[in-house]
Amino acid sequence: MITVLQLLNQKDRTISSIHPDATVFDAITKMAENNIGSLLVMDGEELVGIITERDYTRNVVLKGHLPPTTPVREIMERRVIFVLPEQTVEQCMALMSDKRVRHLPVLEGKKPIGIISIGDLVKSIIGDQKFMIDQLEHYIHG
C-alpha cells in the first residue's frame, strides 16, 4: 500500500497558501494562476483553515458577497480535515469520501508538508491497478 509520504515524493510538494486577511479575489486569482483548487490558510506558521473553489462558489457567489472585498477568513473552512504522512492512499480515499472533501493537507506534527487532492489519489490507485494487471498478464502469458 502506498503511503501519503510516498505519494508526496512523486509530486510537486509546493504548498500554496494565503493569509486569512487576504481577499477572496486574491485567493481565487492565486488558485487560477497555479491551476489548483485550494489554498491552505496560514497565519504565520499556523494552519488556520483551507479555502477551496467550492467555498468560493457556495459562500461568495451564492450569498452575494463581493469577492474583491470579502476576506478569506469569512468563507474559509476552519475545521481542517488532514492526514499524516504514514496514512495510506486507501485511508485517504475513504476519508475524502466520508467527509466529502477533495483536498487534504498533510501534516507532520502541526506543520503542513504537502497537500493531496482526489486527483492524486485516483492517479495513484489507477497506477497500482495497471501494475497489477500487467503482472497478471505476464504471469498468464508466461
Side-chain angles (χ1 to χ4, degrees):
M1 286 189 260
I2 294 179
T3 66
V4 170
L5 184 59
Q6 291 169 319
L7 186 62
L8 282 179
N9 287 336
Q10 296 172 5
K11 63 176 264 171
D12 180 11
R13 274 194 175 206
T14 303
I15 298 174
S16 295
S17 64
I18 197 154
H19 192 273
D21 293 332
T23 66
V24 172
F25 183 81
D26 292 336
I28 294 299
T29 300
K30 191 169 191 177
M31 283 187 245
E33 289 172 351
N34 292 295
N35 196 29
I36 54 177
S38 69
L39 295 171
L40 298 185
V41 183
M42 304 288 294
D43 192 355
E45 296 291 314
E46 182 183 3
L47 176 64
V48 295
I50 188 168
I51 183 172
T52 67
E53 292 170 328
R54 182 182 283 180
D55 295 324
Y56 172 72
T57 55
R58 292 182 179 180
N59 297 319
V60 175
V61 175
L62 291 177
K63 292 182 180 176
H65 292 124
L66 298 173
T69 58
T70 303
V72 167
R73 74 172 61 255
E74 285 188 22
I75 71 159
M76 71 183 190
E77 179 58 54
R78 296 176 192 283
R79 294 178 312 244
V80 180
I81 298 166
F82 64 90
V83 293
L84 305 173
E86 61 271 11
Q87 287 182 262
T88 66
V89 166
E90 290 79 9
Q91 289 171 322
C92 294
M93 186 64 86
L95 182 63
M96 283 184 167
S97 295
D98 182 52
K99 300 296 183 183
R100 302 185 63 118
V101 297
R102 297 176 182 198
H103 303 90
L104 290 171
V106 182
L107 301 184
E108 203 165 61
K110 291 185 177 186
K111 182 181 187 227
I113 62 166
I115 189 164
I116 56 173
S117 70
I118 190 83
D120 296 328
L121 297 180
V122 169
K123 183 178 175 184
S124 175
I125 290 168
I126 289 171
D128 286 349
Q129 290 174 344
K130 183 180 178 339
F131 176 76
M132 181 62 75
I133 290 167
D134 290 346
Q135 292 298 310
L136 290 171
E137 285 177 346
H138 184 290
Y139 176 76
I140 290 169
H141 299 299

